[in-house]
């Protein structure tokens, strides 16, 4: 065989190394996978979500923004000539840290060395807080959620052999990244089958947590309100207070959204900063949401189950401080559990609850478009193919998941938020989805939620039966 022929055969039968990556959703890789480091390598990106937006003409923004990067760890078997797909873990760093921390200061590459798992460690900004910032500075506002959720998740699926589904995707993080992991999972439960927090700041309504967020905004050369906005519900702040924005990203407020997600959270009890207090608040919210959590109390890694349960796992360590001394063993403890979840993932739910403050939101195939005068939380509760309820104000149009016979007629019985009932006949579309007529909830509220004046909410119900 000629040398040219041999090269053609090898290129056709072997997974490509150092090839150009495919751009996805406005995310463009600036380098290739290096052949000399086949398992652990870094990728730099150009994206409009965070600086530098253009590698030639970077932004002039004064806000501290790192380069968009990710460190990627491939399993040892990735290049063995097979075409197997792999699950993916997105592993988030903490405050004042960066995308290199989990391997530079932690042992993530060692702990995952024997696992059939792709680990993605993205840059989240040392003061980024895993959100699209509230501050408005032309196109220079950092948008970390856009980078991670709307760009990087899909980019990884396109450029590597992944399952490409919720059942093969998880997220975890430490400290600020613990908040990010559970906030992302709560806002996007249809993307992640499992989530874990290691010393995560899980309650944005807790005053010490707000002070840290404000300090992050100041430290990034912005201002104290740059990240989530001002937090205040006094009437004098009525036009700019954004307590709603905090709560719309807050794991405690969105805890019911996490029902379909396999959930684990760890914290120290004594020397773990203020973290134990916010994790206790989150645990109370888990219980109040009707979950059946298991709580373990540990000393030096020796654990006793003090609260048996079948739901989320809460692990408290009496000796833990806020450091990799504990985050590494917690990751080591969680990884076998995660791999067991990947081996037998729970199916996507047919019944679920989802709360959002967005005007357009959706989960598990359902899409809701709200029509209302002010911003506020709304809650969709799906009971299965038989119908759903929607809580909020104003009106909404709802499109269901593809659960029905394509082109078949269905009776929609809609009871609005004030008790008036109407029946409609609606045809399912070609994919088996139904779109409701406008569902009236009730009169608009005059003020954004949490701006000092109380809000009134109404619940409309929709029942669905075949004709």
């Amino acid at each position: 065989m000629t040398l040219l022929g041999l090269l053609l055969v090898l290129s056709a039968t072997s997974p490509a190394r150092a090839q150009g990556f495919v751009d996805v959703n406005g995310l463009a890789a600036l380098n290739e996978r290096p052949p000399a480091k086949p398992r652990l390598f870094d990728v730099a990106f150009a994206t409009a979500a965070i600086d530098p937006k253009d590698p030639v003409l970077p932004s002039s923004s004064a806000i501290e923004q790192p380069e968009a990067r990710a460190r990627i760890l491939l399993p040892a078997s990735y290049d063995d000539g097979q075409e197997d797909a792999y699950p993916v873990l997105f592993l988030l760093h903490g405050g004042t840290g960066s995308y290199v921390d989990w391997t530079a200061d932690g042992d993530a590459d060692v702990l995952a060395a024997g696992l059939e798992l792709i680990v993605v460690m993205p840059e989240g900004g040392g003061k980024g807080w895993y959100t699209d910032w509230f501050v408005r500075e032309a196109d220079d506002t950092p948008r970390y959620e856009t980078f991670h959720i709307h760009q990087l998740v899909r980019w990884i699926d396109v450029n590597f052999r992944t399952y490409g589904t919720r059942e093969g995707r998880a997220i975890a993080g430490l400290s600020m990244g613990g908040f990010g992991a559970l906030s992302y999972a709560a806002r996007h439960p249809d993307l992640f089958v499992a989530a874990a927090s290691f010393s995560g700041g899980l309650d944005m309504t807790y005053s010490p947590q707000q002070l840290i967020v404000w300090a992050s905004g100041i430290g990034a050369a912005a201002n104290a309100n740059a990240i989530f906005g001002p937090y205040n519900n006094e009437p004098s702040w009525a036009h700019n207070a954004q307590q709603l924005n905090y709560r719309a990203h807050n794991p405690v407020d969105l805890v019911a959204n996490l029902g379909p997600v396999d959930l684990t959270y760890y914290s120290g009890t004594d020397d773990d900063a203020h973290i134990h207090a916010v994790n206790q608040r989150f645990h109370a919210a888990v219980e109040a949401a009707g979950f059946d959590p298991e709580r373990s109390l540990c000393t030096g890694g020796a654990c006793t189950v003090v609260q048996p349960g079948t739901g989320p796992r809460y692990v408290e360590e009496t000796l833990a401080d806020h450091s990799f001394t504990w985050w590494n063993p917690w990751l080591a403890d969680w990884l076998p559990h995660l791999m067991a979840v990947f081996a037998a993932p729970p199916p996507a739910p047919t019944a679920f609850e989802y709360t959002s403050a967005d005007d357009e939101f959706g989960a598990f195939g359902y899409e809701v478009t709200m029509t209302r005068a002010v911003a506020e939380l709304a809650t969709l509760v799906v009971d299965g193919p038989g119908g759903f309820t929607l809580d909020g104000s104003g009106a909404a149009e709802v499109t269901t998941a593809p659960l029905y016979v394509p082109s078949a007629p269905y009776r929609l019985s809609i009871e609005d938020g004030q008790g008036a009932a109407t029946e409609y006949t609606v045809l399912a579309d070609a994919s088996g989805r139904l779109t409701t007529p406008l569902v009236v909830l009730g009169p608009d509220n005059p003020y954004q939620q949490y701006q000092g004046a109380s809000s009134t909410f109404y619940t409309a119900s929709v029942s669905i039966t075949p004709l």
Side-chain angles (χ1 to χ4, degrees):
M1 182 180 290
T2 66
L3 177 59
L4 176 59
L6 178 60
L7 290 174
L8 290 174
V9 170
L10 289 174
S11 65
T13 59
S14 301
R17 297 186 184 181
Q19 67 177 6
F21 290 121
V22 176
D23 297 351
V24 177
N25 295 346
L27 187 64
L30 299 180
N31 61 285
E32 301 176 351
R33 179 184 170 193
K37 297 180 180 180
R39 282 197 66 227
L40 183 65
F41 57 95
D42 297 344
V43 179
F45 299 98
T47 170
I50 59 175
D51 271 338
K53 301 174 183 60
D54 187 310
V56 178
L57 299 172
S59 167
S60 59
S61 172
I63 299 174
E64 177 185 309
Q65 298 183 62
E67 288 186 295
R69 290 180 174 268
R71 177 160 288 183
I72 299 172
L73 176 67
L74 298 179
S77 62
Y78 192 85
D79 290 324
D80 64 3
Q82 304 299 313
E83 291 298 320
D84 294 336
Y86 297 87
V88 179
L89 167 63
F90 288 84
L91 194 55
L92 309 182
H93 66 78
T96 71
S98 80
Y99 71 103
V100 305
D101 288 358
W102 271 111
T103 54
D105 298 323
D107 296 324
D109 50 339
V110 176
L111 296 174
L115 302 180
E116 299 292 279
L117 175 69
I118 296 173
V119 183
V120 180
M121 295 159 275
E123 177 61 61
K127 306 174 184 69
W129 284 97
Y130 297 100
T131 187
D132 289 359
W133 280 25
F134 175 80
V135 68
R136 299 292 181 261
E137 188 178 317
D139 291 330
D140 297 332
T141 300
R143 290 176 288 151
Y144 291 100
E145 184 173 8
T146 293
F147 170 42
H148 297 141
I149 298 300
H150 302 294
Q151 294 181 328
L152 187 60
V153 166
R154 179 62 179 157
W155 189 92
I156 292 293
D157 287 340
V158 168
N159 285 286
F160 296 94
R161 298 196 310 273
T162 72
Y163 291 167
T165 63
R166 169 184 178 270
E167 288 73 21
R169 191 182 298 118
I171 191 166
L174 67 88
S175 192
M176 181 183 79
F179 160 80
L182 266 56
S183 179
Y184 281 169
R187 287 169 61 81
H188 308 279
D190 47 4
L191 284 183
F192 304 103
V193 72
S197 165
F198 312 113
S199 297
L202 304 182
D203 188 2
M204 282 290 176
T205 67
Y206 187 53
S207 296
Q209 181 98 355
Q210 294 168 29
L211 291 173
I212 293 172
V213 174
W214 292 342
S216 295
I218 295 171
N223 62 68
N225 299 321
I227 300 176
F228 290 100
Y231 185 100
N232 198 302
N233 60 3
E234 296 298 324
S236 62
W237 289 58
H239 296 294
N240 63 358
Q242 291 297 323
Q243 185 179 154
L244 173 65
N245 196 39
Y246 280 79
R247 292 181 178 269
H249 295 81
N250 193 28
V252 166
D253 286 279
L254 303 180
V255 67
N257 292 10
L258 291 165
V261 180
D262 186 281
L263 183 63
T264 306
Y265 43 106
Y266 299 77
S267 73
T269 63
D270 298 320
D271 299 318
D272 200 3
H274 69 281
I275 295 301
H276 187 231
V278 294
N279 276 263
Q280 286 183 309
R281 291 161 73 103
F282 181 75
H283 186 66
V286 166
E287 293 180 308
F291 299 157
D292 182 27
E294 174 188 284
R295 185 169 70 90
S296 297
L297 187 61
C298 311
T299 300
C303 300
T304 300
V305 175
V306 296
Q307 179 183 350
T310 60
R313 301 166 61 233
Y314 179 27
V315 180
E316 296 177 284
E317 169 59 59
T318 60
L319 301 180
D321 58 13
H322 204 66
S323 74
F324 275 103
T325 300
W326 295 100
W327 299 328
N328 281 355
W330 288 344
L331 178 61
D333 176 72
W334 180 66
L335 282 174
H337 176 82
L338 173 63
M339 297 309 292
V341 173
F342 282 145
T350 57
F352 63 91
E353 179 176 331
Y354 184 79
T355 295
S356 176
D358 297 335
D359 289 334
E360 296 181 1
F361 63 86
F364 300 106
Y366 284 77
E367 297 176 359
V368 179
T369 301
M370 301 296 302
T371 301
R372 57 195 176 189
V374 296
E376 59 197 19
L377 295 170
T379 299
L380 174 71
V381 179
V382 175
D383 299 320
F388 57 86
T389 63
L390 186 63
D391 183 78
S393 73
E397 181 182 87
V398 181
T399 298
T400 71
L403 302 175
Y404 307 97
V405 178
S407 303
Y410 289 83
R411 176 180 291 111
L412 271 59
S413 300
I414 300 177
E415 183 176 303
D416 69 22
Q418 295 179 308
T422 310
E423 290 191 348
Y424 302 88
T425 297
V426 176
L427 294 179
D429 66 15
S431 65
R433 308 179 82 190
L434 296 169
T435 298
T436 67
L438 201 63
V439 178
V440 177
L441 297 167
D444 292 329
N445 284 302
Y447 300 104
Q448 179 171 302
Q449 192 175 3
Y450 303 114
Q451 281 193 343
S454 61
S455 300
T456 302
F457 298 105
Y458 308 86
T459 301
S461 63
V462 178
S463 62
I464 302 170
T465 55
L467 290 173

